[in-house]
Amino acid sequence: MTPQDPVKPQQRESDSDEIEIRLSDIVYFLKRNRLLIAVGGIVGALLSGIIAFSQRNEFTSVITVMPEVQQKASNIGSLGSLAGLAGIDVTSLAGSSDAIRPDLYTNVTQSVPFNLELLRQNVKSVESNKPVSLLNYIDETEKSWFEFGNEANDDLPRKASGELLQLTKDQEEKVKILQKRIAVIYDKKSSIVTIQSVMTDPIVAAMTAQYTLQYLTDYITSYRTEKARKEVSFLAEQMKQARERYQAAEFALSSYRDRNRSLFLNTAKIEEQRIQADYMLAQDVYNTLSKQYETAKIKVAESTPIFKVLEPARVPLKKSGPQRSIMILAGSIIGVFTVIIVQLLRHLMARQ
């Protein structure tokens, strides 16, 4: 038999540095610190319970809408037919004419002008039937424990064309609160838009969701029909002037004929023809503008988007948060693990 190799000093050092953890050691550690672990769990549950019950109930109101997505017709004409014969598909050049796509609705509701407009709206709550501005309501419900006597400023800024928008610190905070409580979700597969409003009062949540839908409808309608409405306004003004010229030419022709009934001079006939030509031209211009005006009004109606409401805003009957039981359970677990980690660190430091 060959003698065993002697253990080297370095190998002995490495073996002594290794920590062997057995299941019995874990059980012994937990049994020895069970009282502290129980106290940590109770303290964690109490602290999280205080935080949970200090928060107000939250209610979520949901609206589902199916918006109309307009597509731009191809204006390629005969070129498209020739390209089709050649095996070239040019229909992709005719993209969507709707610049505000449903997936961009979130950007609209996250904008500062939208939130300022929403803060101006009056809402009613379960506790009080008296209408108050959403700004004052948020100021009361979102007020921290250390804030006393701070009244909301109802004088919210309105951005005029070419002017900068300047908010106070308090107004900036209210805007951020609304941005967290209003959500617009677009499902690309079903093309359905969901509007969610989370508030501390069920009636306020439903009213805020309804205001959000109304703002989106007005905003997108205004965007799509702006060009057509400007055309209607321009044609209305031109038609008014054309009507005045037409009526003046008609009166001039009738007056001339009344004054020159018995005259058969060629010069009189020439003058009558000239006045009649002016009358016919004025009449033709007026009729043409009238047709264009009616066509423009039809175009406004065609450009107006349709929002089919699938699920209207409802006053929620049950709260959506906070989940107090989950918060207390999580706090208890955090307290237990905190005690275990602290005791484990103390045990390891004592062994060194």
Side-chain angles (χ1 to χ4, degrees):
M1 296 180 61
T2 59
Q4 295 182 352
D5 296 334
V7 180
K8 297 180 180 179
Q10 292 181 356
Q11 186 176 354
R12 290 175 181 170
E13 259 183 53
S14 61
D15 291 342
S16 62
D17 289 342
E18 291 180 357
I19 300 175
E20 184 180 357
I21 300 177
R22 293 173 296 181
L23 181 60
S24 58
D25 295 335
I26 298 175
V27 173
Y28 175 75
F29 173 80
L30 295 176
K31 184 182 292 186
R32 189 180 65 178
N33 297 283
R34 62 183 181 276
L35 183 60
L36 288 176
I37 293 173
V39 172
I42 295 173
V43 171
L46 288 176
L47 292 177
S48 59
I50 293 173
I51 296 174
F53 283 97
S54 65
Q55 298 179 0
R56 299 184 55 150
N57 290 335
E58 294 183 345
F59 300 86
T60 303
S61 182
V62 179
I63 300 177
T64 55
V65 184
M66 183 181 296
E68 176 191 16
V69 180
Q70 295 183 346
Q71 298 292 331
K72 180 171 63 177
S74 176
N75 295 322
I76 300 175
S78 59
L79 180 60
S81 301
L82 294 175
L85 293 175
I88 302 174
D89 184 15
V90 294
T91 56
S92 60
L93 297 177
S96 173
S97 64
D98 194 2
I100 304 183
R101 304 184 308 272
D103 56 330
L104 297 179
Y105 291 175
T106 301
N107 300 76
V108 176
T109 55
Q110 289 294 307
S111 65
V112 174
F114 161 74
N115 288 280
L116 290 178
E117 186 64 27
L118 197 58
L119 288 172
R120 297 187 185 97
Q121 304 301 321
N122 289 331
V123 294
K124 296 179 181 179
S125 62
V126 174
E127 299 175 356
S128 174
N129 197 33
K130 181 181 178 181
V132 295
S133 68
L134 187 59
L135 175 67
N136 288 326
Y137 175 80
I138 291 179
D139 185 68
E140 290 297 325
T141 57
E142 301 287 341
K143 188 178 293 183
S144 302
W145 293 341
F146 54 84
E147 294 178 347
F148 299 99
N150 293 334
E151 295 185 358
N153 184 10
D154 285 332
D155 189 17
L156 293 170
R158 294 181 182 271
K159 184 180 182 301
S161 178
E163 293 183 358
L164 298 177
L165 188 62
Q166 185 174 4
L167 304 179
T168 64
K169 185 177 180 181
D170 179 70
Q171 292 167 352
E172 188 77 27
E173 290 298 323
K174 300 300 187 298
V175 168
K176 291 180 179 179
I177 291 173
L178 272 188
Q179 288 175 338
K180 295 178 181 178
R181 292 189 172 273
I182 304 294
V184 177
I185 305 168
Y186 174 62
D187 188 354
K188 293 183 179 180
K189 294 182 179 179
S190 61
S191 298
I192 291 178
V193 175
T194 303
I195 300 173
Q196 292 183 352
S197 172
V198 181
M199 292 290 168
T200 56
D201 185 274
I203 299 179
V204 176
M207 295 182 70
T208 305
Q210 185 62 39
Y211 285 140
T212 303
L213 174 61
Q214 188 62 45
Y215 184 92
L216 273 176
T217 303
D218 295 341
Y219 185 90
I220 297 164
T221 300
S222 175
Y223 175 81
R224 286 190 183 176
T225 62
E226 183 177 5
K227 185 177 180 180
R229 285 186 289 107
K230 287 182 178 180
E231 186 177 358
V232 168
S233 178
F234 172 77
L235 288 173
E237 182 64 27
Q238 295 298 314
M239 192 173 66
K240 179 182 177 182
Q241 297 176 7
R243 184 190 299 112
E244 293 175 354
R245 290 195 297 267
Y246 167 62
Q247 292 173 349
E250 184 180 29
F251 180 78
L253 179 60
S254 300
S255 298
Y256 183 83
R257 285 176 175 174
D258 290 341
R259 292 195 307 269
N260 300 278
R261 283 183 179 179
S262 58
L263 294 179
F264 299 97
L265 298 175
N266 290 329
T267 54
K269 291 181 180 180
I270 293 173
E271 183 65 19
E272 182 181 358
Q273 291 174 356
R274 185 188 65 79
I275 297 176
Q276 187 174 3
D278 292 341
Y279 165 74
M280 296 297 292
L281 178 62
Q283 185 184 44
D284 185 55
V285 171
Y286 175 71
N287 290 337
T288 302
L289 289 173
S290 298
K291 293 178 182 178
Q292 292 178 352
Y293 177 71
E294 295 300 326
T295 303
K297 289 199 298 183
I298 294 174
K299 188 177 180 181
V300 171
E302 291 177 348
S303 301
T304 302
I306 298 175
F307 289 85
K308 183 63 177 178
V309 179
L310 303 178
E311 188 69 31
R314 291 188 299 173
V315 178
L317 300 178
K318 297 181 180 180
K319 67 180 183 70
S320 58
Q323 303 295 331
R324 294 187 175 92
S325 58
I326 296 178
M327 294 177 65
I328 293 174
L329 179 61
S332 177
I333 294 173
I334 292 174
V336 168
F337 276 99
T338 301
V339 171
I340 291 175
I341 292 172
V342 170
Q343 290 299 109
L344 184 61
L345 291 176
R346 290 178 60 182
H347 179 70
L348 293 176
M349 292 175 63
R351 290 187 59 181
Q352 292 180 356

